[in-house]
Structures are given as C-alpha cells and as structure tokens.
Amino acid sequence: MSRKPQTPVAMGPDGVQRPLDIERRINECASIAFSTPAVEQLLLALEAVTTRRVLAPPFSQEELIHLEGARWLFGVLKQRIHMGRNGLPSRKEMTDE
C-alpha cells in the first residue's frame, strides 16, 4: 500500500493551517501590497486606532469585543507583512501533518 506524499502545511498567524506554498504566497502578497511609504502611514494610523487605543469606562461588552477583533486583525496583518518580507514560513516552521 503506497502512501501519497503529504503536502507540507504551515499554520498561519490567523490560526488556519494551509499548504506551505499558499501560506507563503499570502504572506508575500501582504508584503508587496504594504510596501509603499503611503501604506506605512496607513499602518501607523490603523495601529493608533487598534493596538494603541484604550477604552475608558464606561464601555460596553460589544465595544470591547469590536476593539479586540480589530486588534487581532491588525496583528495578523502585521505578522503577514513581516513573514512575507522574511520569506516565512520556512520548511523548518512547518507542522507535521
């Protein structure tokens, strides 16, 4: 009984496991799309309203959930840009599935 060669997979910063080539391509696209000086300014503005924002009381649970979702999404985007600029994920970072 022959086994099919397994496609290398990698876990993305969003917690989704994808084939390694697709994960690299997504990261490369993020790196390319977010490489201009104008986009760097946009990222700084997004950071200011997400990860650097502090909610002052009183705030609702919905406001907190919304802000945490925005922070998570911004974090995933920043990780993808970094990984794309550094050619990640590498084979050594792959999962064993």
Side-chain angles (χ1 to χ4, degrees):
M1 183 173 187
S2 69
R3 293 182 71 184
K4 269 171 85 172
Q6 293 183 349
T7 303
V9 294
M11 184 70 69
D14 53 8
V16 177
Q17 196 173 58
R18 297 180 182 86
L20 180 63
D21 59 332
I22 292 174
E23 192 62 31
R24 281 185 181 154
R25 183 67 184 144
I26 293 169
N27 295 339
E28 180 184 15
C29 288
S31 174
I32 292 167
F34 289 88
S35 63
T36 68
V39 172
E40 289 296 325
Q41 290 298 308
L42 175 62
L43 288 172
L44 288 172
L46 289 173
E47 182 178 34
V49 298
T50 58
T51 59
R52 294 182 184 258
R53 183 170 174 210
V54 177
L55 290 178
F59 57 86
S60 69
Q61 183 176 358
E62 291 79 14
E63 288 173 302
L64 179 60
I65 290 169
H66 176 79
L67 182 56
E68 287 305 311
R71 288 176 176 158
W72 179 83
L73 185 57
F74 181 75
V76 168
L77 182 60
K78 290 287 286 189
Q79 288 177 30
R80 288 218 176 268
I81 294 166
H82 171 77
M83 292 171 80
R85 289 177 180 167
N86 291 289
L88 300 172
S90 65
R91 283 201 168 268
K92 97 178 176 192
E93 295 175 85
M94 297 180 325
T95 61
D96 292 331
E97 289 189 19

